[in-house]
Amino acid sequence: MQSSYVYMHLNGDFVPAGIMHTYQKGHAGYSTFQYGKRYLERPDATPVDPVSLPLSNIEYHTPEWLILFGGIRDAAPDGWGRYLLEKEANKPMSEFDYLVRAGLDRVGALGFGPDPVNGPVRNGIDSDNPSPQEILNLNDLVIAAQCHMDELEIDNHLQAFTEYGSSLGGARPKALANYINKLWVVKFNDKSDRRSETRIEYANMLLAQKCGLSIPDLKHVTLASNQGIFLIERFDRYFIEGKKFRKHFVSGLTMLNEHESYIVQIDINKHSYGALADIIRRYGSSDFIEQDLEELFRRMVFNIICSNSDDHLRNQGFLYDQQTQGWRLSPGYDIVPDLNPHDSLGLGVGPYGRAATFDNAQKGANQFGLNSDLASNIIKEMCESAKNWKDLFVECKIPEREIQKLEKNFNTIT
């Protein structure tokens, strides 16, 4: 058994929310979690997981095949972060180890520590190490990331990269940075890339903004080394009078009470945009339900426009709004045209399942509270906004040969 206190960041400070015990043998295992009495008494108490762990004094258990609760798993690293942690530890790691050893500035508002008094720490790591955000600039981050990808030895002053590279989900190399007084997720090119991934993602996210989607601030920076990096501003952080606040984040996977072990055989009726729309109606902030439903519809339509089938449930997120005490659809992220375009999305669209057609989207528009005429107008408006995508991609310095290959992605609007 391995145990950790789970902290929640509320009103600018971490407070102990409860305790988690994890039992794992091989790839099997389960967890228990129980909220603390004092936490439940707080008027601002936020559920760690609104579906699996609603605020209550009972002890919760995962099924025996599920090692971590969804809302807690969302705070753990994925492929890239796990790779960094494995290199640092130089030993086999459990799901619990990945969770508690990850960087402290992880996504959302959770933290983990061995006691309920001293706040979150990186378990097993010297907590007196300086913050990488204070000592590593963008050039340092690129050098460190490249060394890790090439499996080269890392200079001592770059060792801190592991903390801020291991804080995030996703398979691609990335890290956190403080740049021009904002907090960013920094994405790097991978040596195995077959195209200009950072520039393409940057251009496509700009196009999504142009089509009316809620997208964070974006930048693409070319460094002195001629390395290009993509920066997307963090939407789970904000500042009031210089003090940093964190917003609690959970994935669409968690909100549907699903787990990645199900992804191999998708239940099309549950893994769908319509199912996420139902979640917005059930858990959403009452003042913003209509707005978030339309945003979700637009996101689905844009994924059809650019042929992005990597729109799985972990690439759909929700943020807790303390003021309304409800959940908001997060801004869009990881919206990238497929390398090899498909005729379907990763999630169900409408009555014809995952078929990536505007007809399917329009006929399923009632799932989002939209009538057919309004849905049709939104689709036409977005297609009009996206029709000059090539010009935008040229402005973003994407090579002509890559733009030609991307024509297949955008053939629904040509």
Side-chain angles (χ1 to χ4, degrees), residues 65-66 253 258-266 271:
W65 46 264
L66 181 58
L253 195 72
E258 286 285 282
H259 184 262
E260 287 165 314
S261 62
Y262 291 136
I263 288 181
V264 176
Q265 295 182 353
I266 290 179
H271 288 226

Side-chain angles (χ1 to χ4, degrees), residues 10 39 54 92 100 159 170 175 181 205 249 343 359 363 367 414:
L10 296 177
Y39 184 77
V100 301
Q159 292 292 341
N181 297 318
M205 295 287 277
F249 170 92
D343 57 3
D359 179 58
K363 288 181 177 175
Q367 302 172 103
T414 57

Side-chain angles (χ1 to χ4, degrees), residues 280-396:
I280 291 173
R281 291 188 183 90
R282 181 173 179 182
Y283 294 99
S285 298
S286 58
D287 294 342
F288 299 100
I289 289 176
E290 186 175 326
Q291 178 181 329
D292 283 354
L293 286 172
E294 181 176 325
E295 171 71 19
L296 183 63
F297 179 77
R298 285 179 176 272
R299 188 176 300 177
M300 179 180 75
V301 170
F302 186 75
N303 284 328
I304 294 173
I305 289 174
C306 71
S307 300
N308 170 37
S309 66
D310 193 37
D311 57 334
H312 55 78
L313 291 173
R314 292 204 69 189
N315 276 345
Q316 317 298 329
F318 293 82
L319 296 166
Y320 190 72
D321 186 325
Q322 279 286 354
Q323 288 188 324
T324 62
Q325 295 191 331
W327 294 86
R328 297 292 313 277
L329 187 67
S330 78
Y333 58 94
D334 289 357
I335 304 175
V336 187
D338 289 340
L339 181 62
N340 298 300
H342 303 278
D343 57 3
S344 61
L345 297 187
L347 297 178
V349 174
Y352 308 127
R354 294 187 294 143
T357 67
F358 297 136
D359 179 58
N360 194 20
Q362 184 175 345
K363 288 181 177 175
N366 63 315
Q367 302 172 103
F368 308 89
L370 305 173
N371 62 43
S372 182
D373 289 342
L374 180 55
S376 176
N377 289 336
I378 290 173
I379 293 169
K380 290 176 182 176
E381 167 212 313
M382 292 180 66
C383 289
E384 179 67 23
S385 297
K387 70 178 183 181
N388 294 323
W389 66 272
K390 286 186 184 180
D391 295 338
L392 176 59
F393 280 48
V394 168
E395 289 176 18
C396 293

Side-chain angles (χ1 to χ4, degrees), residues 79-81 169-175 187-190 192-193 197-198 201:
W80 171 250
R172 290 190 57 82
K174 59 176 67 70
K187 296 190 173 185
F188 310 102
N189 289 308
D190 191 300
S192 64
D193 287 343
E197 287 293 346
T198 59
E201 183 171 358

Side-chain angles (χ1 to χ4, degrees), residues 205 209 214-218 232-235 331-333:
M205 295 287 277
Q209 280 184 333
S214 173
I215 301 292
D217 195 11
L218 310 167
I232 178 168
E233 188 177 8
R234 296 191 68 168
F235 51 69
Y333 58 94

